[in-house]
Amino acid sequence: MPHRRDPTGRLALSSLSRADARTLRTLELEWPDAVGLMARVALLACPPALSGDDPAEPTLAMVRAGIAAYRRARSDGEDDLARFAAFVDGITLALARRHQYCVARALTEPQRRVLARRVPPRQPSRVG
């Protein structure tokens, strides 16, 4: 099954190594909007390149970081939710600090709910 295409054309998925492309296909099977999430982040956080610059470099770095984080979580035996959280963390940390908020803006409501399940509930303070 081929992986979904980048609707924005900004992710340079054809530049991925075979191993990364294979991992991306697995990620898309588990989380079907993973490529869509990265495409939305790229539109929000990665400005078009200036002439002479490689237009794919910032987005490709983000894609590779997300894939690598997901792959590490998989090899560590993490559960499905932890693998998705690792992927989101990977793409977030690959962005310049001033653009990291764009990941939260790019998440769909179902993706937000999934990530919210990974956050432990607030514990009441036992001070005093």
Side-chain angles (χ1 to χ4, degrees):
M1 174 179 164
H3 59 80
R4 290 182 37 187
R5 300 284 182 235
D6 164 24
T8 65
R10 299 195 48 200
L11 296 180
L13 298 178
S14 61
S15 298
L16 293 176
S17 68
R18 274 189 165 154
D20 282 350
R22 194 170 30 252
T23 301
L24 182 59
R25 282 192 297 275
T26 302
L27 173 62
E28 274 284 304
L29 286 173
E30 289 185 359
W31 298 98
D33 193 37
V35 170
L37 172 59
M38 290 187 293
R40 291 187 298 277
V41 170
L43 286 174
L44 293 169
C46 301
L50 302 172
S51 61
D53 291 341
D54 182 359
E57 194 52 45
T59 56
L60 191 55
M62 175 192 64
V63 170
R64 287 179 175 148
I67 290 170
Y70 170 80
R71 183 183 296 129
R72 278 190 303 277
R74 240 177 107 75
S75 69
D76 289 347
E78 297 288 347
D79 67 26
D80 195 33
L81 296 177
R83 291 192 301 268
F84 182 66
F87 164 72
V88 173
D89 285 346
I91 63 175
T92 301
L93 294 174
L95 297 171
R97 188 173 191 82
R98 69 181 184 277
H99 294 300
Q100 290 179 349
Y101 75 95
C102 294
V103 176
R105 288 185 56 206
L107 290 166
T108 63
E109 193 55 39
Q111 290 168 336
R112 289 175 204 273
R113 283 193 298 263
V114 164
L115 291 174
R117 286 188 273 170
R118 294 293 303 164
V119 178
R122 293 187 79 158
Q123 299 295 319
S125 175
R126 295 189 183 167
V127 176

